[in-house]
Amino acid sequence: LSYTVMIKRSILDVEVLTVTMALFVQFWSFEVTAMLVCMKGIFALPRKYGLAVHTKKYWANILFNEFFHNMVYVAIIYFLRLQNDRFTFIVFAPISVHYVISACEWAKFVQGMWTTVFGWLINPVLENKETLLLTKAYLEMLLLLWFCGESIYGLQGFIFPVLYANFLRAK
């Protein structure tokens, strides 16, 4: 293998480690999960598009990438939402769908023990990737209704659903 392929492979392994940790830690710590989601995005963007180049095409690719959207989403949630929230899993549910797809793609890429043990899960996930991404989009839209409901009942401020709605509109 060439050095570039080895470096990309190592970064991909670290990404999958952060994905796996984020999927399990979200039940215990809001801050750690947010940090792991941002780490995944920071590793994924250079792996997919290379180091930062100041061209219009490069930055357009970054702006339309799902990992970048996940980092913006986590930043909005982290700064405008209560961190001691008992509904952390609901907030991270769309990102979890995206990360399960990412972990299955990694397992298919390495073609080792993971595909043997979890082949019953990996193959259906990768075959239905588009459907799962559509499900992620619907979950994000349902979250807007959830956040509006929280605002009505006084659990959150009204600014959060407004900013989240604009985030979805821009996405």
Side-chain angles (χ1 to χ4, degrees):
L1 294 175
S2 70
Y3 288 118
T4 11
V5 172
M6 287 174 48
I7 289 171
K8 283 186 177 184
R9 171 82 185 266
S10 301
I11 290 173
L12 187 62
D13 292 344
V14 171
E15 285 180 48
V16 170
L17 178 65
T18 59
V19 164
T20 309
M21 289 170 49
L23 288 174
F24 289 111
V25 171
Q26 68 182 329
F27 296 107
W28 296 290
S29 174
F30 186 91
E31 290 84 9
V32 174
T33 306
M35 180 190 67
L36 290 171
V37 168
C38 288
M39 282 176 55
K40 167 67 174 164
I42 289 170
F43 283 126
L45 292 174
R47 178 184 52 81
K48 287 186 86 167
Y49 302 114
L51 295 176
V53 179
H54 298 294
T55 63
K56 186 177 181 180
K57 182 180 178 191
Y58 179 83
W59 292 107
N61 286 338
I62 296 292
L63 286 175
F64 291 111
N65 189 289
E66 195 68 27
F67 293 113
F68 178 74
H69 294 165
N70 289 343
M71 290 192 311
V72 170
Y73 172 73
V74 166
I76 289 171
I77 288 172
Y78 186 78
F79 290 113
L80 294 176
R81 194 169 165 75
L82 301 172
Q83 275 79 30
N84 297 328
D85 192 1
R86 65 181 179 269
F87 299 113
T88 302
F89 178 74
I90 292 171
V91 171
F92 286 113
I95 293 175
S96 298
V97 171
H98 190 231
Y99 282 1
V100 166
I101 295 170
S102 180
C104 289
E105 286 175 343
W106 172 82
K108 193 73 165 179
F109 175 73
V110 295
Q111 288 290 325
M113 174 193 67
W114 297 106
T115 52
T116 307
V117 175
F118 294 107
W120 58 272
L121 175 68
I122 294 169
N123 293 330
V125 166
L126 294 180
E127 289 169 3
N128 299 314
K129 179 181 174 180
E130 296 300 320
T131 307
L132 288 171
L133 288 174
L134 188 62
T135 304
K136 178 187 182 222
Y138 286 135
L139 283 172
E140 289 172 339
M141 288 185 265
L142 286 173
L143 273 176
L144 180 60
L145 295 175
W146 177 272
F147 296 146
C148 288
E150 283 185 343
S151 295
I152 291 170
Y153 288 107
L155 300 173
Q156 284 295 135
F158 283 106
I159 189 74
F160 185 75
V162 170
L163 286 175
Y164 184 71
N166 283 320
F167 165 72
L168 287 180
R169 187 172 58 98
K171 186 176 175 182

